[in-house]
Amino acid sequence: MLAALSAAEPVWTDGHYFGGAARLLRGRAAGLDLAVLDAPHLFSRPGNPYAAANGAEWPDNPQRFAALARMAATIATDDSIGPPPDVVHAHDWQAGLTMAYLDGESRRPATVLTVHNLAFQGNFDAAVLPSLGLPANAFRMEGAEFHGMVGYLKAGLALADAITTVSPTYAAEIQTPEFGMGFDGLLAHRKAALHGILNGIDDAIWDPATDDTIAAKFDVDHLAGRPINKLALQSHFGLDRNADALLLGVISRLSWQKGLDMLLPLRDTLAALGAQLVVIGAGEPDLEHRFRAAAAAHPGRIACFIGYDEALAHKVQAGIDAILIPSRFEPCGLTQLCALRYGALPIVARVGGLADTVIDANAAALDANTGTGLQFSPGQFAQALNRAAGLWSRREIWSRLQRNAMQTDVSWRRPAAQYAALYKSLV
Ligand code: ADP
């Protein structure tokens, strides 16, 4: 993208921007109007946006993300760069300092901060302050100060005109000590400005009717392809090729948040139910090791791939009967949205966006034919697996749930309209 933009004229330059030469390029790429901060001394390096190839976080991350935030504030207020926007919408701690740079500006656009996960806060030692060039009073309790540190997310939460998070349930949960991660007081105080808007997924990329990565295409009216994908998946992972075994899947970061440590002790439950399990994930070494060991101990019944592989995720969604998401907290969750679209019933912990996007197949929902998966309360994971097996044994009911799941609107259409309405309410 930068290659496409580099022909564009710089609209702003600075020889000493956070310690080096920087310029702002404006142009069009990928069908979008883009402004790109080109500051090689901050961003041109191997590794990923946060860390070097060896996993060590870049020591100048406070300055790197402050540079982006400060540039956003400049674009928002400096007419010489281009027409100012109506709304500045910042995401997560990485962009949270934008609100601090805009703080006190007499003419500024409306501001929105979206929180995708309150666990990632961007708190840095106050010693970085002189390098940030923040307005003089930014480091105060009602601004960027957080327990004596510079809080990037805190700045956004304190100063944005509106805060959104990625599901209504998470918006309510984070006002409580259990889920607030130290921000519950502030968020309860800002309740009137806090909105929950669910995420969507790209339903063109996640479309089993056109998906070239899966063994057989299918849709809600033509489900014959689904068992073909199941057999292909069983073959791929060396599981017993058995259309009647309930095939469960996990596609996840392997971290404490995702609660998958609670799945490992349920291996006997799975065996008793005749269920199979395929796991693709990466993350904490201990969990990676334990899932590898579970697969080695249960050949033909449990399989795992440790790593990140998006094409494989499509094959898994298309072939499993149900996906397991026992998260301890989940701001929104995307995996269950993909699963709904592919007719893999989500079996989810009743938290955050999982609670908002999956309709539990309880007796009332079965009567009304509205269920799309299973929800369970803390500690009830094994019971949920038993319930799933019960429904699996009544295949006509399972098929109805599967159809309901596939007809759920998981696209961006509704959320996009909600964001547009929020923007309008602010300007
Ligand atoms: P989080 O952002 O907390 O990791 P989400 O459910 O919101 O969880 O989004 C994660 C996305 O990444 C989902 O679409 C999921 O399918 C995908 N994903 C997670 N782990 C893997 C993996 N190992 N391989 C492929 N896709 C993965």
Side-chain angles (χ1 to χ4, degrees):
M1 226 174 244
L2 189 56
L5 266 177
S6 57
E9 278 295 296
V11 292
W12 171 97
T13 57
D14 184 339
H16 303 283
Y17 192 66
F18 288 84
R23 53 191 194 143
L24 185 73
L25 304 170
R26 273 194 110 128
R28 281 186 72 78
L32 299 169
D33 290 320
L34 289 181
V36 173
L37 175 61
D38 182 26
H41 67 292
L42 298 172
F43 305 116
S44 178
R45 31 181 105 163
N48 71 38
Y50 309 107
N54 66 6
E57 293 207 356
W58 301 115
D60 58 349
N61 274 348
Q63 291 77 23
R64 295 172 71 241
F65 290 101
L68 288 165
R70 190 174 184 181
M71 195 70 244
T74 302
I75 294 169
T77 49
D78 185 343
D79 293 350
S80 71
I81 289 181
D86 296 317
V87 177
V88 174
H89 190 161
H91 292 263
D92 278 341
W93 74 262
Q94 292 86 345
L97 223 49
T98 309
M99 312 317 180
Y101 286 111
L102 286 172
D103 186 33
E105 285 284 340
S106 54
R107 282 175 55 244
R108 68 159 176 84
T111 54
V112 179
L113 178 84
T114 293
V115 184
H116 295 262
N117 191 333
L118 216 50
F120 305 104
Q121 305 186 347
N123 298 321
F124 298 104
D125 193 291
V128 304
L129 262 179
S131 69
L132 303 180
L134 283 167
N137 71 342
F139 192 63
R140 65 184 195 280
M141 204 181 89
E142 303 78 18
E145 187 272 341
F146 189 53
H147 298 300
M149 306 185 83
V150 191
Y152 284 37
L153 183 65
K154 159 70 195 311
L157 293 175
L159 299 170
D161 297 327
I163 303 165
T164 74
T165 189
V166 287
S167 69
T169 294
Y170 192 59
E173 287 170 345
I174 58 180
Q175 297 175 48
T176 68
E178 188 185 353
F179 294 97
M181 305 216 163
F183 289 119
D184 37 293
L186 172 60
L187 288 164
H189 173 68
R190 297 225 57 203
K191 187 185 169 103
L194 174 59
H195 309 263
I197 300 179
L198 282 171
N199 280 334
I201 56 170
D202 186 331
D203 58 357
I205 290 175
W206 291 97
D207 182 359
T210 58
D211 191 332
D212 286 326
T213 62
I214 62 180
K217 299 180 179 44
F218 61 96
D219 63 43
V220 69
D221 297 315
H222 306 90
L223 282 163
R226 228 183 171 285
I228 300 173
N229 288 301
K230 179 170 177 176
L231 286 176
L233 189 64
Q234 286 170 327
S235 297
H236 179 93
F237 276 99
L239 296 169
D240 298 336
R241 282 169 59 91
N242 178 354
D244 285 330
L246 174 61
L247 176 51
L248 304 171
V250 167
I251 306 169
S252 185
R253 285 189 292 124
L254 300 179
S255 74
W256 181 85
Q257 175 194 339
K258 300 296 179 179
L260 291 161
D261 49 298
M262 297 183 280
L263 175 58
L264 284 153
L266 300 180
R267 281 170 306 207
D268 291 342
T269 305
L270 293 180
L273 297 173
Q276 299 177 339
L277 175 67
V278 51
V279 176
I280 69 173
E284 290 169 14
D286 176 55
L287 279 172
E288 292 183 352
H289 168 75
R290 288 167 69 194
F291 275 110
R292 275 204 185 97
H298 302 275
R301 291 208 314 98
I302 299 181
C304 77
F305 166 79
I306 300 299
Y308 189 94
D309 184 337
E310 205 161 314
L312 188 57
H314 284 239
K315 294 187 214 300
V316 172
Q317 295 281 20
I320 55 175
D321 299 304
I323 193 149
L324 305 178
I325 313 179
S327 304
R328 291 189 165 88
F329 67 94
E330 194 61 76
C332 178
L334 299 177
T335 324
Q336 84 280 12
L337 302 182
C338 304
L340 288 167
R341 187 132 169 86
Y342 278 61
L345 297 192
I347 300 174
V348 303
R350 187 177 289 119
V351 290
L354 299 172
D356 292 334
T357 53
V358 176
I359 300 173
D360 181 64
N362 56 32
L366 289 177
D367 269 355
N369 191 26
T370 53
T372 60
L374 293 179
Q375 295 190 2
F376 62 90
S377 306
Q380 304 287 308
F381 195 5
Q383 288 84 338
L385 295 178
N386 279 303
R387 279 179 68 207
L391 290 166
W392 176 247
S393 68
R394 298 157 71 194
R395 216 56 65 80
E396 74 295 349
I397 295 181
W398 188 276
S399 297
R400 288 215 314 259
L401 297 172
Q402 193 175 45
R403 279 173 216 279
N404 294 345
M406 293 180 74
Q407 283 167 327
T408 306
D409 182 359
V410 292
S411 75
W412 276 105
R413 279 178 287 276
R414 193 177 356 192
Q418 290 174 310
Y419 280 116
L422 176 67
Y423 296 157
K424 283 203 186 105
S425 76
L426 294 172
V427 298

